[in-house]
Amino acid sequence: MSWFVGLTMTCPYTVFVQVTILLGSENDKPHAEKISAVLTGFDIPSNIIIASAHKVPEKVVSIIEKLNKDLQPQVVITVVGLSNGLAGVVAGSSLHPVINCPPHKNEQEYLADIHSSLRMPSYVPVMTILNPKNAALAAVKILAESNKELREQVKKNIADTKNRYS
Amino acid sequence: MSWFVGLTMTCPYTVFVQVTILLGSENDKPHAEKISAVLTGFDIPSNIIIASAHKVPEKVVSIIEKLNKDLQPQVVITVVGLSNGLAGVVAGSSLHPVINCPPHKNEQEYLADIHSSLRMPSYVPVMTILNPKNAALAAVKILAESNKELREQVKKNIADTKNRYS
Amino acid sequence: MSWFVGLTMTCPYTVFVQVTILLGSENDKPHAEKISAVLTGFDIPSNIIIASAHKVPEKVVSIIEKLNKDLQPQVVITVVGLSNGLAGVVAGSSLHPVINCPPHKNEQEYLADIHSSLRMPSYVPVMTILNPKNAALAAVKILAESNKELREQVKKNIADTKNRYS
Amino acid sequence: MSWFVGLTMTCPYTVFVQVTILLGSENDKPHAEKISAVLTGFDIPSNIIIASAHKVPEKVVSIIEKLNKDLQPQVVITVVGLSNGLAGVVAGSSLHPVINCPPHKNEQEYLADIHSSLRMPSYVPVMTILNPKNAALAAVKILAESNKELREQVKKNIADTKNRYS
Amino acid sequence: MSWFVGLTMTCPYTVFVQVTILLGSENDKPHAEKISAVLTGFDIPSNIIIASAHKVPEKVVSIIEKLNKDLQPQVVITVVGLSNGLAGVVAGSSLHPVINCPPHKNEQEYLADIHSSLRMPSYVPVMTILNPKNAALAAVKILAESNKELREQVKKNIADTKNRYS
Amino acid sequence: MSWFVGLTMTCPYTVFVQVTILLGSENDKPHAEKISAVLTGFDIPSNIIIASAHKVPEKVVSIIEKLNKDLQPQVVITVVGLSNGLAGVVAGSSLHPVINCPPHKNEQEYLADIHSSLRMPSYVPVMTILNPKNAALAAVKILAESNKELREQVKKNIADTKNRYS
Amino acid sequence: MSWFVGLTMTCPYTVFVQVTILLGSENDKPHAEKISAVLTGFDIPSNIIIASAHKVPEKVVSIIEKLNKDLQPQVVITVVGLSNGLAGVVAGSSLHPVINCPPHKNEQEYLADIHSSLRMPSYVPVMTILNPKNAALAAVKILAESNKELREQVKKNIADTKNRYS
Amino acid sequence: MSWFVGLTMTCPYTVFVQVTILLGSENDKPHAEKISAVLTGFDIPSNIIIASAHKVPEKVVSIIEKLNKDLQPQVVITVVGLSNGLAGVVAGSSLHPVINCPPHKNEQEYLADIHSSLRMPSYVPVMTILNPKNAALAAVKILAESNKELREQVKKNIADTKNRYS
């Protein structure tokens, strides 16, 4: 039997897990809110912070340092359009897993900008997902690895999706 | 103080965490082994299974079902060339987080095939990483969210990388 | 003289041939209906079924098994947007020929998504056609190989097309 | 029970089915031979003819006319590099189904040339497959719709493929 | 002194030169009319004919044969969208120079379809120009090589263009 | 009957027609020589001149001025790699028709550089052909519009090509 | 201490620095005005001149000659759509640094046209920037290398940008 | 007469101007050395520093701060492969002009990676040049704006280039 089962029963995850959503620009807030809405549906608190790697790298550095000191299970999600500097800067220094969800408005932007999210050097583990609902869902699955209650919700979410096809 | 600290001290993570690497084809084993080599460096056991979604979807379905019953913290990594059917099939049904690491031999293959890894519908949370070392490192960070010892190793890995630039 | 001539005269094809149109999503129904409309013009019955390979692979597997037991001449047409998992999953296991007709809304989607329809491994014979009328017409030609009456209709269709240019 | 079962038992299909492979250039013969090799494995006779739509359209027109008079179950496969004029010219006038299998030497050629195979106007039903083995297998499935013996071979081929993954 | 100077003075070119515009589809007439409007400005007669290489190759063949018998100085311009079969079929057999002016509605169509106009095998000399005014102007320059009066008009056209920048 | 027939009999075209091949760089001479070799096969004299529009625009301007004063039937062919400035600079000011034949070494260069040859503003009639043999053949067809003897050679060239397919 | 400090105090830079914006077409004026608006904010005078390299290369040559005689610190910015001939023609002969800011209306135009701005041969130093505000800012930084007052403004501009993120 | 003429005569520029070349990876040193070799030809000192924005953003921040305090005329050149985070991070905070020269090994890498260099948000003025010799030459022209002696060298360099075409 897995060790974490009993634990999480006395430690409701809503206290312990969290997601930080880092934005390169104020303009991408609607995209970030699609992510946080799904997280809220799983009772996972999220926090949106705006900090461009190109314009205020020193601010990004200090945000990462702060998150690295925070030991509770968590995920960082970056939301950056155009050339994606932020996801790599965060993933290179963050202790926590980094999901990248670029806010392309259409396939044109996607075809021009996606490469800046993907073509990372080694030691810069950025995980890219296009669909904001999927980015949230991936974060939930990551957090569910250390939380039994959350895992049950994931199980239900998958079952509900399958049921819509029956 | 986080709940999981004391626990993992008495439950060494090497017993509990694991990574399953799913391959679409025998030919992609060298790529998968680059991933498992990094995991081994973190003392994380990994298991390579070959199962094409296009050719044996029923086998993929049964692998996912089996993994879904396995409650210990874990990550699934898919390695598939050409049109990527496997990553989506796995991510749609897996309780565990799914990292996708397509084995493109060069930028030509990348430019043709990457879209099949990325353009997923909602409820199919595939997280894509190109570099196999980064795919491993992302898995490690995910598992470290529920394991203090592993987190120390991640911390050291980041520090070592930074030191190479000083 | 070919063996099938006399036979089909006593066995009107409308009883024997059929087309199954598999959709990844409810949203693609209008695209599928462009295909079935042409088939109806040839008096060929068609059946639209929704089943995402990414979300309900087990349902897709069971649909293929059922179609494989059905011995009358027939064609399967898949209609899937974004990354095309369905066409390959069906073509890998289906006894019947599989035509794939992705519902791209514009050239942008086409340029991003077409590769997931084309880049199939061996033993996964997906035949791709963009134009839904052409997908239907190709299915008709396939079915006409075993049906004299249908062949006459194909002959007339080609002649009518040529006449519009005289 | 389907009408064609008894018939094909007394009419071995090797007499009745056939595949014509049309090439735009002598240089593409090795690609065509990969297709005919698979067909031979199914005891299906194939015939390679060289006829460029760009250089000798009148020859292509007369080949199609001849094939259109040939009533036995059959498939036409076009193999053309660079800008693909042949597949469309054949598919527009052929009574028989037309599979197109362009002989791209690498992904570079594929990215430049695939669109000329796909972007067909209505009434020009070209079915495109990249892998020559798959093109042959698709032709076999089409012919198997009117031939019980061939269908058994297709069934075996799929089962054999699945067995390689068990 | 060039031989043709005296001649053209007694043989006004409007009798002798001409342009034939071949269209793959009725829908491309507005594009063709942009070309013929410029030609009319140079008093060059043009003739629009609709004939799809994919659908009525035999008609295209007979049009080329007729134009090949017509010895007066002339140019053929093809206007075809999607996969361009017509330009190559015409250029392979035409004695006269063939300019190809594909009617792309936007850059999306251009990026998908231009390759089918350019990637021609040897002995198929298709000359591609995107801008319909430029296609007309190129035809005028070609015809002006054998017509002094027309050459003066070309000279004036270039001078007028330069004057707009002074 | 056309006016030029009798004339060219007493005025052998080899005296009158010519092709000027303009190169952006010494390195592209082998490509230019593939063009001039075909022209030589038609007894058409050609002249290779090196003059980069980017580096010595004043030299290009003076070459065009000189060619514009030369009244005999002729064609200018530009051969330029990378970003193509030369073709447009020449076509904007040249009285004579301008064929552009970029010397791409492979499909990679083609995919990056072809657009600079094609995307010309109005009043800049650049006619693009990829294959150097075709560029020569197009020039021959243009010159044959004012030369009966050359036209016979074109006729023979087309017939020879067709014969290779019989 | 740097030599230029005292000097610029008695020689206000607004007298000495300048930017020349060269346009290929009247239509691109709105794009050029976005650049000059930013320059005006730094009190840097700018001058918009229209001169197509394709249509009036002789005019472009004479503009460069004139600018080359002008010894005060300055920058040339080219603004050209479609195939970019102007930037290279200017950069090859200009003594002054040349920034290129192509006026793409959307990502479609960008994907087709950007290569003509970038793929320059050696000795043609074109510096490309997409965003017109950035093009202006880069020009300001260049001019600030020889002007203390301007440098203070650059410093303030960077600080203001950072402050918007605090 | 310009103010800086007399000054630079008594202040040889080799004391005052400099170029800093920032590399994302040790592997890109050969590319950087192509740049510094050209600079050396102009007697301009250059300094190569390795500092990945993704891995050590704090180091990049401190390098920029140091360069910003250095008031002599200078240029920063960034050399980064894959997704280009460095150029933007530097350009956003640097007082000095930033030229970006990505070390693509071939057109494949170029087509995948160039967008990460170009698609910068406002206030991040990165000037991109592909050819390393051109990057150096652009830096020289920038520095020559405040140095008479260097400007003479630029003048000679342009004249020498032109002479190679005469």
Side-chain angles (χ1 to χ4, degrees):
Chain A
M1 204 188 102
S2 302
W3 52 269
F4 59 82
V5 173
L7 237 213
T8 54
M9 282 194 286
T10 60
C11 306
Y13 73 89
T14 49
V15 178
F16 295 105
V17 305
Q18 73 175 14
V19 172
T20 302
I21 307 179
L22 285 176
L23 270 66
S25 158
E26 183 90 29
N27 299 330
D28 297 329
K29 242 181 169 167
H31 192 81
E33 285 163 356
K34 287 182 198 165
I35 299 172
S36 58
V38 174
L39 294 171
T40 302
F42 284 88
D43 286 327
I44 299 174
S46 61
N47 188 18
I48 296 179
I49 306 175
I50 300 171
S52 162
H54 292 140
K55 298 179 194 167
V56 282
E58 59 281 355
K59 183 179 176 187
V60 176
V61 166
S62 92
I63 290 168
I64 303 169
E65 278 169 6
K66 190 159 153 271
L67 290 173
N68 280 354
K69 283 176 193 147
D70 186 351
L71 296 177
Q72 72 188 94
Q74 62 190 283
V75 173
V76 180
I77 300 179
T78 54
V79 172
V80 210
L82 296 171
S83 179
N84 187 344
L86 185 60
V89 169
V90 174
S93 296
S94 170
L95 280 182
H96 305 293
V98 177
I99 295 174
N100 173 52
C101 186
H104 308 131
K105 275 197 283 295
N106 49 47
E107 282 82 7
Q108 292 175 50
E109 284 194 10
Y110 164 73
L111 288 172
D113 291 331
I114 189 61
H115 308 296
S116 69
S117 283
L118 293 170
R119 303 265 300 168
M120 291 292 159
S122 52
Y123 299 102
V124 184
V126 173
M127 301 185 285
T128 294
I129 296 189
L130 298 183
N131 182 306
K133 288 180 190 170
N134 285 341
L137 215 46
V140 175
K141 286 188 182 182
I142 290 171
L143 295 171
E145 288 301 311
S146 56
N147 187 295
K148 189 193 172 190
E149 202 176 320
L150 207 44
R151 176 164 290 169
E152 288 306 311
Q153 286 186 268
V154 170
K155 199 176 290 184
K156 188 177 175 315
N157 184 276
I158 292 171
D160 289 353
T161 303
K162 287 184 185 290
N163 285 339
R164 283 197 293 277
Y165 281 85
S166 65
Chain B
M1 207 189 102
S2 304
W3 53 268
F4 59 83
V5 174
L7 237 215
T8 54
M9 282 194 287
T10 59
C11 306
Y13 74 89
T14 48
V15 178
F16 295 104
V17 304
Q18 72 175 13
V19 172
T20 302
I21 307 179
L22 285 176
L23 271 67
S25 157
E26 183 91 29
N27 299 329
D28 296 329
K29 244 183 169 165
H31 192 81
E33 285 163 357
K34 287 183 197 163
I35 299 172
S36 58
V38 173
L39 294 171
T40 302
F42 284 89
D43 286 327
I44 298 174
S46 61
N47 189 17
I48 296 180
I49 305 175
I50 301 171
S52 162
H54 292 139
K55 298 179 196 168
V56 282
E58 58 282 355
K59 183 180 175 186
V60 176
V61 166
S62 91
I63 290 168
I64 303 169
E65 278 170 7
K66 190 160 153 270
L67 291 173
N68 280 355
K69 283 175 193 149
D70 186 352
L71 296 177
Q72 72 189 91
Q74 63 191 282
V75 173
V76 180
I77 300 180
T78 54
V79 171
V80 211
L82 296 170
S83 179
N84 187 345
L86 186 60
V89 170
V90 174
S93 296
S94 170
L95 281 182
H96 306 293
V98 177
I99 294 174
N100 173 51
C101 186
H104 307 130
K105 277 197 281 297
N106 49 46
E107 281 82 8
Q108 291 174 48
E109 284 193 10
Y110 164 73
L111 288 172
D113 291 331
I114 190 60
H115 308 296
S116 69
S117 284
L118 293 169
R119 304 265 300 168
M120 291 292 158
S122 53
Y123 298 102
V124 185
V126 173
M127 302 185 285
T128 294
I129 296 189
L130 298 183
N131 183 307
K133 288 180 189 170
N134 285 341
L137 215 47
V140 175
K141 287 188 181 181
I142 290 172
L143 295 171
E145 289 299 312
S146 57
N147 187 297
K148 188 194 173 190
E149 201 177 319
L150 206 45
R151 178 165 289 170
E152 288 307 311
Q153 286 186 266
V154 171
K155 199 176 289 184
K156 187 176 176 315
N157 184 276
I158 292 171
D160 289 353
T161 302
K162 288 184 184 289
N163 285 339
R164 282 196 295 278
Y165 280 85
S166 67
Chain C
M1 206 189 101
S2 303
W3 54 268
F4 58 82
V5 174
L7 240 215
T8 54
M9 283 195 285
T10 59
C11 307
Y13 74 89
T14 47
V15 177
F16 295 103
V17 304
Q18 73 174 13
V19 172
T20 302
I21 307 179
L22 285 176
L23 271 67
S25 157
E26 182 92 29
N27 299 329
D28 297 328
K29 243 182 169 168
H31 192 81
E33 285 164 355
K34 288 183 197 163
I35 298 173
S36 58
V38 174
L39 294 171
T40 302
F42 284 88
D43 286 326
I44 299 174
S46 61
N47 190 16
I48 296 179
I49 305 175
I50 300 171
S52 162
H54 292 140
K55 298 179 196 168
V56 281
E58 59 283 353
K59 183 179 176 187
V60 175
V61 166
S62 92
I63 291 168
I64 303 169
E65 277 169 7
K66 190 160 153 269
L67 290 173
N68 281 354
K69 283 176 193 147
D70 185 351
L71 296 176
Q72 71 189 92
Q74 62 190 283
V75 173
V76 180
I77 300 179
T78 53
V79 171
V80 209
L82 295 170
S83 179
N84 187 345
L86 186 60
V89 169
V90 174
S93 297
S94 170
L95 281 182
H96 306 293
V98 177
I99 294 173
N100 172 52
C101 185
H104 307 131
K105 275 197 283 295
N106 50 45
E107 282 81 8
Q108 291 175 49
E109 284 194 9
Y110 164 73
L111 288 172
D113 291 330
I114 190 60
H115 308 295
S116 69
S117 283
L118 293 170
R119 304 264 300 167
M120 291 292 158
S122 52
Y123 299 102
V124 184
V126 173
M127 302 185 284
T128 294
I129 296 188
L130 299 182
N131 182 306
K133 288 181 188 170
N134 284 340
L137 215 47
V140 175
K141 287 187 181 181
I142 290 171
L143 295 171
E145 288 300 310
S146 57
N147 187 296
K148 188 192 173 190
E149 202 176 319
L150 206 45
R151 178 164 289 168
E152 288 307 311
Q153 285 186 269
V154 171
K155 199 176 290 184
K156 187 175 175 317
N157 184 277
I158 292 172
D160 288 354
T161 302
K162 287 184 185 290
N163 284 340
R164 283 197 294 277
Y165 281 85
S166 64
Chain D
M1 205 189 103
S2 304
W3 52 268
F4 57 81
V5 174
L7 238 214
T8 55
M9 283 195 283
T10 59
C11 306
Y13 74 87
T14 49
V15 179
F16 295 105
V17 306
Q18 73 175 13
V19 171
T20 301
I21 307 179
L22 285 175
L23 271 67
S25 157
E26 184 90 30
N27 300 330
D28 297 329
K29 243 182 168 166
H31 192 81
E33 284 163 358
K34 286 182 199 164
I35 299 172
S36 58
V38 174
L39 294 170
T40 301
F42 284 88
D43 286 327
I44 298 173
S46 62
N47 188 18
I48 296 179
I49 305 176
I50 300 171
S52 162
H54 292 140
K55 298 179 195 169
V56 283
E58 58 283 353
K59 184 181 174 185
V60 176
V61 166
S62 91
I63 290 168
I64 303 169
E65 278 170 6
K66 189 158 154 272
L67 290 173
N68 280 355
K69 284 175 191 148
D70 185 353
L71 296 178
Q72 72 190 92
Q74 63 190 282
V75 173
V76 180
I77 300 179
T78 54
V79 172
V80 212
L82 296 170
S83 179
N84 188 345
L86 187 59
V89 169
V90 174
S93 297
S94 170
L95 281 182
H96 306 294
V98 177
I99 294 173
N100 172 53
C101 185
H104 307 130
K105 275 197 282 297
N106 49 46
E107 281 82 8
Q108 293 175 48
E109 283 194 10
Y110 164 73
L111 288 172
D113 291 331
I114 189 60
H115 308 296
S116 69
S117 284
L118 293 170
R119 303 266 299 168
M120 291 293 158
S122 54
Y123 299 103
V124 184
V126 173
M127 301 184 285
T128 294
I129 296 189
L130 298 183
N131 182 306
K133 287 180 190 170
N134 284 341
L137 214 48
V140 174
K141 285 188 182 180
I142 290 171
L143 295 171
E145 288 300 310
S146 55
N147 187 296
K148 189 195 173 189
E149 202 175 319
L150 206 45
R151 177 165 289 169
E152 288 307 311
Q153 286 186 267
V154 170
K155 199 175 291 184
K156 188 176 174 318
N157 183 277
I158 292 171
D160 288 353
T161 302
K162 287 185 184 289
N163 285 339
R164 282 197 294 278
Y165 281 84
S166 65
Chain E
M1 203 189 104
S2 303
W3 52 268
F4 59 84
V5 174
L7 239 215
T8 54
M9 283 196 286
T10 59
C11 305
Y13 75 87
T14 48
V15 178
F16 295 105
V17 304
Q18 73 175 13
V19 171
T20 302
I21 307 179
L22 285 176
L23 270 67
S25 158
E26 184 91 30
N27 300 329
D28 297 328
K29 243 182 169 167
H31 192 81
E33 285 164 356
K34 287 183 198 163
I35 299 173
S36 58
V38 174
L39 294 170
T40 301
F42 284 89
D43 286 327
I44 298 174
S46 62
N47 189 17
I48 295 179
I49 305 175
I50 299 171
S52 162
H54 292 140
K55 297 180 195 167
V56 282
E58 58 282 354
K59 184 179 175 186
V60 176
V61 166
S62 91
I63 290 169
I64 303 169
E65 277 169 7
K66 188 157 154 272
L67 290 174
N68 280 355
K69 284 178 191 145
D70 185 352
L71 297 176
Q72 72 190 91
Q74 62 190 281
V75 172
V76 180
I77 300 178
T78 53
V79 172
V80 211
L82 295 171
S83 179
N84 187 344
L86 186 59
V89 169
V90 174
S93 297
S94 170
L95 282 181
H96 306 293
V98 177
I99 294 172
N100 173 52
C101 186
H104 308 132
K105 275 198 284 294
N106 50 46
E107 282 81 8
Q108 291 176 48
E109 283 195 9
Y110 164 74
L111 288 172
D113 290 331
I114 190 59
H115 308 295
S116 69
S117 283
L118 293 170
R119 304 264 301 168
M120 291 291 159
S122 54
Y123 299 102
V124 185
V126 173
M127 301 184 286
T128 294
I129 296 188
L130 298 182
N131 182 305
K133 289 180 189 170
N134 284 341
L137 215 48
V140 175
K141 286 187 181 182
I142 289 172
L143 296 170
E145 288 300 310
S146 56
N147 187 296
K148 188 193 173 189
E149 202 176 320
L150 206 45
R151 177 164 290 169
E152 288 307 311
Q153 286 186 268
V154 171
K155 198 175 290 184
K156 187 176 175 315
N157 184 277
I158 292 172
D160 288 353
T161 302
K162 286 183 183 291
N163 285 340
R164 282 196 294 277
Y165 280 86
S166 66
Chain F
M1 204 189 104
S2 303
W3 52 268
F4 57 82
V5 174
L7 238 214
T8 53
M9 283 195 285
T10 60
C11 305
Y13 75 86
T14 48
V15 179
F16 295 104
V17 305
Q18 74 174 13
V19 171
T20 301
I21 307 179
L22 285 176
L23 270 66
S25 157
E26 184 90 30
N27 299 330
D28 296 329
K29 243 182 169 167
H31 192 81
E33 284 164 358
K34 285 182 199 164
I35 299 173
S36 58
V38 173
L39 294 171
T40 301
F42 284 88
D43 286 327
I44 298 174
S46 62
N47 189 18
I48 296 179
I49 305 175
I50 300 171
S52 162
H54 292 141
K55 298 179 195 169
V56 282
E58 58 282 353
K59 184 180 174 186
V60 175
V61 166
S62 92
I63 290 169
I64 303 169
E65 278 170 6
K66 189 159 153 271
L67 290 173
N68 280 354
K69 284 176 190 146
D70 186 352
L71 296 176
Q72 70 188 94
Q74 63 189 281
V75 172
V76 180
I77 299 179
T78 54
V79 172
V80 211
L82 296 171
S83 179
N84 187 344
L86 186 59
V89 169
V90 174
S93 297
S94 169
L95 281 182
H96 306 293
V98 177
I99 294 173
N100 172 53
C101 186
H104 308 130
K105 275 198 284 295
N106 50 45
E107 281 82 8
Q108 292 175 48
E109 284 194 11
Y110 163 74
L111 288 172
D113 291 330
I114 189 61
H115 308 295
S116 69
S117 283
L118 293 170
R119 303 264 301 167
M120 291 291 159
S122 53
Y123 299 103
V124 184
V126 173
M127 301 184 285
T128 293
I129 296 188
L130 297 183
N131 182 306
K133 288 180 188 170
N134 284 341
L137 215 48
V140 175
K141 285 187 181 181
I142 290 172
L143 295 171
E145 288 299 312
S146 56
N147 186 294
K148 188 195 173 189
E149 203 176 319
L150 206 45
R151 178 164 290 170
E152 288 306 311
Q153 285 186 268
V154 171
K155 198 175 290 184
K156 187 176 175 315
N157 184 278
I158 292 172
D160 289 353
T161 301
K162 286 183 183 291
N163 285 339
R164 282 196 295 276
Y165 280 85
S166 65
Chain G
M1 204 189 102
S2 304
W3 53 268
F4 59 82
V5 173
L7 238 214
T8 54
M9 282 195 286
T10 60
C11 305
Y13 74 86
T14 48
V15 179
F16 293 106
V17 304
Q18 73 175 13
V19 172
T20 302
I21 306 179
L22 284 176
L23 271 67
S25 157
E26 184 90 29
N27 299 330
D28 296 329
K29 244 183 168 166
H31 192 81
E33 285 163 357
K34 287 183 198 164
I35 300 172
S36 57
V38 174
L39 294 170
T40 301
F42 284 87
D43 286 328
I44 298 174
S46 61
N47 188 17
I48 296 179
I49 305 176
I50 300 170
S52 162
H54 292 142
K55 298 180 194 167
V56 283
E58 58 282 353
K59 184 180 175 186
V60 175
V61 166
S62 91
I63 291 168
I64 304 169
E65 278 171 5
K66 189 159 154 271
L67 291 173
N68 280 355
K69 284 177 191 145
D70 185 351
L71 296 177
Q72 72 189 91
Q74 63 190 282
V75 172
V76 180
I77 299 179
T78 54
V79 172
V80 211
L82 295 172
S83 179
N84 187 344
L86 187 59
V89 169
V90 173
S93 297
S94 170
L95 281 181
H96 306 293
V98 177
I99 294 173
N100 173 52
C101 186
H104 307 132
K105 275 197 284 294
N106 50 46
E107 282 82 7
Q108 292 176 49
E109 283 194 11
Y110 164 74
L111 287 173
D113 290 331
I114 189 60
H115 308 294
S116 68
S117 284
L118 292 170
R119 302 264 302 167
M120 291 292 160
S122 54
Y123 299 104
V124 184
V126 173
M127 300 184 286
T128 294
I129 296 188
L130 298 183
N131 182 307
K133 288 180 189 169
N134 284 341
L137 214 48
V140 174
K141 286 188 181 181
I142 290 172
L143 296 170
E145 288 301 310
S146 55
N147 187 295
K148 189 195 173 188
E149 202 175 320
L150 206 45
R151 178 165 288 170
E152 288 306 313
Q153 286 186 266
V154 171
K155 199 175 290 183
K156 187 177 175 315
N157 184 278
I158 292 171
D160 288 354
T161 302
K162 286 185 185 290
N163 285 339
R164 282 197 294 277
Y165 280 85
S166 65
Chain H
M1 204 188 102
S2 303
W3 54 268
F4 59 83
V5 173
L7 238 214
T8 55
M9 282 194 287
T10 60
C11 307
Y13 75 87
T14 48
V15 178
F16 294 104
V17 304
Q18 74 175 12
V19 171
T20 302
I21 307 179
L22 284 177
L23 271 67
S25 157
E26 183 91 30
N27 299 330
D28 296 329
K29 242 183 170 167
H31 192 81
E33 284 163 357
K34 287 182 198 164
I35 299 172
S36 58
V38 173
L39 294 171
T40 302
F42 284 88
D43 286 327
I44 298 174
S46 61
N47 189 17
I48 296 179
I49 305 175
I50 300 171
S52 162
H54 292 140
K55 298 179 195 169
V56 282
E58 58 283 354
K59 184 180 176 187
V60 175
V61 166
S62 93
I63 290 168
I64 302 168
E65 277 169 7
K66 190 159 153 270
L67 290 173
N68 279 355
K69 284 176 191 147
D70 186 351
L71 295 176
Q72 72 189 92
Q74 62 191 282
V75 172
V76 180
I77 300 179
T78 54
V79 172
V80 210
L82 295 172
S83 179
N84 188 344
L86 186 59
V89 169
V90 174
S93 296
S94 170
L95 281 182
H96 306 293
V98 177
I99 294 173
N100 172 52
C101 186
H104 308 130
K105 275 198 283 294
N106 49 45
E107 281 82 8
Q108 292 175 48
E109 284 194 10
Y110 163 73
L111 288 172
D113 291 331
I114 190 61
H115 308 296
S116 69
S117 284
L118 293 169
R119 304 263 302 167
M120 291 291 159
S122 53
Y123 299 103
V124 184
V126 173
M127 300 184 286
T128 294
I129 296 189
L130 299 183
N131 183 307
K133 289 181 188 169
N134 284 342
L137 214 48
V140 175
K141 286 188 181 181
I142 290 171
L143 295 171
E145 288 300 310
S146 58
N147 187 295
K148 189 194 173 188
E149 202 176 319
L150 206 44
R151 178 165 289 171
E152 288 306 311
Q153 285 185 268
V154 171
K155 199 176 290 184
K156 187 176 174 317
N157 184 277
I158 292 172
D160 289 353
T161 302
K162 287 184 183 290
N163 284 339
R164 282 197 294 278
Y165 281 85
S166 66

